Amino acid sequence: MTSNPVEPGIPVAGPDAEGSASSDPFVPPPPAPRRRRAWPVLLFLVVLAIAGLAGWQWWEQRERNTNLEAAHAARVNGLDARLESLESLTGEQTTRLADQSRTSDRNGTEIAALKSRIEDTLTLMSRISEDLSGGRTRFQLAAIEHLLVLANDQLLLERDVRSALVALDSADARLAQLSDPQLFPVREALAEERTALRAVPVADLSSAALTLSSLIGRVPSLPLQSHAPTQFHSPDMRDSSTADDAPDGWRRLLAAIKTAVRSLFTIRREDNTSAMRLLPPEAEAVVYHVLALRLEGARVALLSGKTVSMREQLRSAVEWLDSQFKKDDPGVLAMKAELDRLQGLELSPPLPDISRSLAALRTRLDVGSPATAPGSR
């Protein structure tokens, strides 16, 4: 026996109900169960929650964008304010630079005018000082001019560097005593000319001439490559004098015969070197005289300032020493060393021009003359 489940709240049709149902032509369907009506509510709640969440996110994003726009606007306003302040500062700086430029131009003009006034004042003071001193400064400048002319003459005509340098030093010392600012160009030219003169290699002619004189005096003491004695003595000949004193007559006779036989011959020694030869005393004197003459010619050229002639004479003397005298002798080697040193002397070095100081001084004298001096009108 089976039983149908009956939901609560639903009436059960009995026999009476069936009878009544059969009597009614339309019977309505039974109502749906309550459990099936809950899902639309749940769906509505989910949609409502999603809509609320989306609305909340939209509101939060809107607030965030509003805050960002406010911050951006604040930054833009701040930048605009800073830009305006910078533009204001730039305008002020430009104005200041323009003012400073005008001030600098005005100062430059005033400085140039002041410099011109100072130069005019110095010129006037120099003129007044010269007038008050009764022309003494002009006489001193004339003396300085004479010194400069003397220095140029000594250098160009005599090639005397030392005398020219002494004259320039004396002229500069006198210019220093005057203390005239207008003479500074002259002193500047003098300083350059004195430096150039000190750079000129000056040979010590006195020392070189004395050295040649000493070498000429040592010529006779130099040994030749070969020497021919005037007499030859053998040990037997030297013993003959003792044999003469012997009482035996036959020994004296034997010694006399040996001496007579040896006197018939001349003994000479020749080496393999072609330059080594025996010379008689007359030829030796000629050799010494030729060397002395060449050294004397070198000394004359030295004192005359002829560098080429002096070097040629010294070279010829060295060649004569090599060909006629002993090469390994200390005296010959010492003389060759001195002659080689003397060949390096420069008797005529190039000389500088020292006329610029003289020209500057003469220009100063022409400017300071009564006819052309400032204030002479």
Side-chain angles (χ1 to χ4, degrees), residues 273-342:
T273 306
S274 59
M276 301 293 291
R277 59 185 181 276
L278 294 174
L279 296 176
E282 296 81 4
E284 292 181 359
V286 171
V287 172
Y288 286 116
H289 188 64
V290 168
L291 179 59
L293 284 178
R294 293 181 178 178
L295 294 177
E296 187 65 34
R299 183 171 63 176
V300 172
L302 171 70
L303 297 177
S304 301
K306 300 177 181 179
T307 306
V308 177
S309 178
M310 181 198 69
R311 290 177 178 176
E312 182 63 26
Q313 291 292 337
L314 292 176
R315 185 185 61 80
S316 178
V318 171
E319 293 178 353
W320 190 254
L321 279 173
D322 291 336
S323 61
Q324 300 296 332
F325 294 86
K326 287 185 177 181
K327 298 180 180 180
D328 56 349
D329 183 72
V332 175
L333 294 176
M335 182 174 290
K336 287 178 63 178
E338 288 293 331
L339 295 179
D340 292 337
R341 183 183 65 83
L342 292 176

Side-chain angles (χ1 to χ4, degrees), residues 237 239-249 251-256 259:
M237 293 175 64
D239 294 340
S240 62
S241 59
T242 58
D244 292 339
D245 297 336
D248 299 334
R251 290 183 178 177
R252 291 197 299 270
L253 179 61
L254 182 59
T259 301

Side-chain angles (χ1 to χ4, degrees), residues 45-65:
L45 293 177
V46 171
V47 172
L48 184 61
I50 292 174
L53 180 62
W56 180 80
Q57 289 182 350
W58 174 80
W59 180 81
E60 186 179 12
Q61 184 67 28
R62 181 173 175 276
E63 291 294 327
R64 187 180 302 167
N65 292 336

